[in-house]
Amino acid sequence: NKLKNIRISKVVIVSILFILAIMNLIGALAPPTLADSMNHHFAAPKYYSSINGFPFIPISPWPLPGLIHVLFTKSLILSEPVSCQLIIFIFSVLTTYVVYFIGNKYWGSKVGLMASLIYYTLPLTTELSTGAMPEHASNFLSLLSILAILNSFKANKYYSIILLLLSGLLAGSAGATKVWALLGGPSSIIVILYLGYRNSNELKDIFISLTAFSLAYGIILVPWFIRNYISGGDPLWPLGNSFFNTQYFNEISALKYSNWNRGPDGTFLNYLLTPWNLTNNISKYSSGAGAINHFLINPMFLAFIPSAFIFWDKYNSIQKQLFSAICLFSIGIFTIWFLGGYTQPRYLQLIYPG
């Protein structure tokens, strides 16, 4: 009976995921309406497709690294705008599968299915699955990057370097897909340091691991930064206006950007209360727009955070390392996001698959 109940629960979870996927597919087939996709993620590729190139265009935030825009541009040349939304829908399904794969590999199929269900039922996951938004693509690449780092510490020295190079390429591609996914770079370095320490690696080996990851990470991003610096005087045009001689960006615009803020004050108490606020007080992060429902976090997140520590003693050493690595990765991203001052919940999307 117990085995039968487990099978039934798995069928129920898969059925829910399938129904949600069908609904998101229908949404992705609808005409584009999301503001950011219309103003940026569709507008820029449409212009690039008309001129057959990717020059520096001083329209914020067009010059930011846009790897997904290259794919969108090719899609718009060959097809209709809906094809871009279908690409993102596919990335949302792939990301959910990777969440299942990691959970299944280390904890079993039921945990994998439950983890994928929690992620895929997030309102923000649905919101971003039906429009030409880059978050799901960056999530997919970041998850694969973390998985490559985890596997690198179980491989021999030669394959370990290859996996770390692959991880850096994937993380760099994620950052080149969505600028806020650049937070995955320093967070991945924290994970590499932690795993190197836990596996008693020599300092020389840890340094080689960090170098391999960092070089591969930079290879993807450097061409975008060089183009922006040569053309506009700012590698992250216009976000680096406080440090660089940013061209085509007047003082009024710079003052406006510098005064942008969102969310509650950056106190330590608010730092600790953020998971609760994102679940129950989402209006704090909406800049006066009220309770924006698609920013809400699934309450199951709050339930599983303490449960993961309650059952800590039942984890084996590999599970403990994985859980700790994902926690450090998420905390690193969350901390930088919180201290940045502009706490837009969508920019935290990178940690939700974890």
Side-chain angles (χ1 to χ4, degrees), residues 61-107:
W62 286 23
L64 294 175
L67 199 60
I68 196 70
H69 291 169
V70 177
L71 188 57
F72 284 178
T73 300
K74 293 181 178 179
S75 297
L76 290 173
I77 292 173
L78 299 172
S79 185
E80 298 296 322
V82 167
S83 62
C84 301
Q85 297 185 157
L86 289 175
I87 288 171
I88 297 304
F89 165 76
I90 292 171
F91 272 119
S92 74
V93 174
L94 289 174
T95 304
T96 306
Y97 175 75
V98 176
V99 171
Y100 165 77
F101 176 83
I102 294 174
N104 177 57
K105 181 179 180 180
Y106 293 98
W107 278 280

Side-chain angles (χ1 to χ4, degrees), residues 43-55 57 62-63 69 73 227:
K46 182 178 180 181
Y47 180 75
Y48 297 147
S49 65
S50 69
I51 62 173
N52 297 314
F54 299 91
I57 306 294
W62 286 23
H69 291 169
T73 300
R227 183 202 66 175

Side-chain angles (χ1 to χ4, degrees), residues 229-350:
Y229 183 75
I230 292 174
S231 301
D234 183 348
L236 275 172
W237 194 99
L239 300 183
N241 62 81
S242 299
F243 308 98
F244 297 95
N245 182 26
T246 305
Q247 304 297 310
Y248 316 111
F249 199 66
N250 59 47
E251 294 181 4
I252 296 175
S253 297
L255 184 62
K256 182 182 75 172
Y257 272 77
S258 65
N259 287 329
W260 273 12
N261 60 75
R262 191 175 191 140
D265 296 334
T267 63
F268 183 66
L269 179 61
N270 283 329
Y271 176 86
L272 297 176
L273 290 175
T274 296
W276 175 265
N277 287 333
L278 286 173
T279 308
N280 296 283
N281 296 313
I282 196 66
S283 58
K284 289 188 174 183
Y285 302 88
S286 63
S287 297
I292 301 179
N293 293 332
H294 61 263
F295 286 161
L296 285 168
I297 290 181
N298 192 322
M300 295 183 75
F301 267 89
L302 291 181
F304 275 87
I305 289 174
S307 66
F309 293 98
I310 291 172
F311 298 104
W312 179 259
D313 291 337
K314 296 185 178 182
Y315 295 167
N316 60 40
S317 60
I318 295 176
Q319 290 172 335
K320 287 180 179 179
Q321 278 197 28
L322 172 67
F323 180 79
S324 299
I326 291 177
C327 278
L328 287 172
F329 180 77
S330 300
I331 290 172
I333 292 172
F334 170 75
T335 301
I336 300 172
W337 169 83
F338 182 83
L339 295 177
Y342 191 72
T343 49
Q344 155 69 276
R346 181 159 56 84
Y347 298 162
L348 200 57
Q349 173 74 3
L350 197 62

Side-chain angles (χ1 to χ4, degrees), residues 118-270:
I118 293 172
Y119 173 69
Y120 206 63
T121 54
L122 279 173
L124 191 56
T125 299
T126 298
E127 170 84 1
L128 298 174
S129 296
T130 57
M133 305 291 283
E135 280 82 0
H136 283 307
S138 61
N139 286 349
F140 175 69
L141 294 167
S142 293
L143 269 183
L144 291 182
S145 173
I146 288 297
L147 192 58
I149 290 175
L150 293 169
N151 288 329
S152 72
F153 284 88
K154 296 186 292 182
N156 61 46
K157 192 170 184 179
Y158 174 76
Y159 286 107
S160 175
I161 297 299
I162 292 177
L163 286 170
L164 285 165
L165 288 171
L166 175 61
S167 175
L169 290 173
L170 289 166
S173 297
T177 298
K178 176 69 177 179
V179 67
W180 279 93
L182 289 172
L183 303 183
S187 298
S188 296
I189 288 175
I190 294 172
V191 171
I192 292 172
L193 289 171
Y194 164 74
L195 291 174
Y197 170 77
R198 280 296 304 268
N199 290 277
S200 302
N201 289 14
E202 296 182 4
L203 287 176
K204 179 186 70 173
D205 294 330
I206 296 176
F207 176 77
I208 292 173
S209 298
L210 291 173
T211 302
F213 173 85
S214 300
L215 286 175
Y217 182 79
I219 285 173
I220 300 295
L221 294 161
V222 162
W224 297 91
F225 294 155
I226 291 177
R227 183 202 66 175
N228 291 349
Y229 183 75
I230 292 174
S231 301
D234 183 348
L236 275 172
W237 194 99
L239 300 183
N241 62 81
S242 299
F243 308 98
F244 297 95
N245 182 26
T246 305
Q247 304 297 310
Y248 316 111
F249 199 66
N250 59 47
E251 294 181 4
I252 296 175
S253 297
L255 184 62
K256 182 182 75 172
Y257 272 77
S258 65
N259 287 329
W260 273 12
N261 60 75
R262 191 175 191 140
D265 296 334
T267 63
F268 183 66
L269 179 61
N270 283 329

